[in-house]
Amino acid sequence: MNQNEKGGFGDNATITLNAGAVANETVGIEGFYEVKCHDKDGNLKWEDSFPNLVNAVGKELMLDTLLKGSSYSVTGPFLGLISGASPTFGTGSDTQTSHAGWTEFVNYTVGGSAVRGTAVFASATSSGSTPSNVTTSAAAAITYTITGAGGTVGGCFLVTGSGATSAQSNTGGTLYSAGAFTTAKVTTAGDTVSVTYSTTATS
């Protein structure tokens, strides 16, 4: 009698390894204006608040200063008012020398002089990481006293960097941000317009 025995043996293992996983972090930067207008007797006439984009040249200045290491000292920043009932803005492409959609409003004084206000920023603070990190730096409120014929104010802008000055209508410096009110506001001589600006980075 013949007897055949067959035996089969086998091992099988599957191993999967994922290495080098990367968590992406994005950062968005925007500005925020808060504006209040009082008449010559101190009565509140109107108020508005609105976010705005930081212009491309403003972001470039920020990154060149922080990361590239270019020599830089703060000039200003100077905060001005925008004229007109319906200003328009490029999608972050406006510069201080080229912004066809709006003009500067100049019928005001700051501290008795016909100059843009100087934005004095406090140290930045962060909110933590849940659900996102929000880092903010805010400037002290600047008061503009309306003079002459007054007029329609359509928004605000912030200019800084080399060449920036407090002189009204000056085109030097880097346009950091500019934005429009939800609706344009009419001012008359003797009104005071108070503007608070903050800039926020969110990740």
Side-chain angles (χ1 to χ4, degrees), residues 68-85:
K68 186 179 178 182
S70 59
S71 177
Y72 178 73
S73 60
V74 173
T75 304
F78 303 107
L79 201 155
L81 304 179
I82 290 173
S83 182

Side-chain angles (χ1 to χ4, degrees), residues 126-134 202-203:
S126 297
S127 67
S129 58
T130 305
S132 60
N133 177 271
V134 179
T202 303
S203 61

Side-chain angles (χ1 to χ4, degrees), residues 4-199:
N4 295 325
E5 181 176 332
K6 295 182 179 179
F9 300 91
D11 290 313
N12 183 67
T14 302
I15 301 174
T16 302
L17 174 65
N18 292 322
V22 177
N24 292 323
E25 179 173 323
T26 60
V27 177
I29 300 172
E30 69 174 15
F32 195 81
Y33 292 94
E34 295 184 62
V35 187
K36 293 183 179 181
C37 178
H38 294 81
D39 65 18
K40 59 183 179 62
D41 297 317
N43 300 306
L44 181 66
K45 292 182 64 174
W46 50 262
E47 60 184 316
D48 204 346
S49 59
F50 53 97
N52 69 282
L53 293 174
V54 175
N55 288 297
V57 289
K59 294 174 183 175
E60 289 169 5
L61 176 63
M62 182 186 303
L63 295 179
D64 283 347
T65 302
L66 178 65
L67 300 178
K68 186 179 178 182
S70 59
S71 177
Y72 178 73
S73 60
V74 173
T75 304
F78 303 107
L79 201 155
L81 304 179
I82 290 173
S83 182
S86 54
T88 58
F89 306 90
T91 54
S93 60
D94 283 353
T95 68
Q96 189 64 15
T97 56
S98 178
H99 46 79
W102 58 272
T103 59
E104 186 171 353
F105 180 88
V106 296
N107 289 342
Y108 67 81
T109 59
V110 175
S113 299
V115 295
R116 298 165 180 162
T118 301
V120 179
F121 283 86
S123 297
T125 58
S126 297
S127 67
S129 58
T130 305
S132 60
N133 177 271
V134 179
T135 301
T136 301
S137 182
I142 301 170
T143 299
Y144 301 79
T145 300
I146 304 302
T147 61
T152 301
V153 181
C156 305
F157 69 92
L158 190 74
V159 60
T160 189
S162 177
T165 78
S166 62
Q168 295 176 339
S169 300
N170 181 271
T171 59
T174 298
L175 182 64
Y176 181 79
S177 74
F181 296 147
T182 51
T183 58
K185 306 297 192 290
V186 175
T187 63
T188 57
D191 288 352
T192 55
V193 177
S194 175
V195 182
T196 303
Y197 180 79
S198 60
T199 188

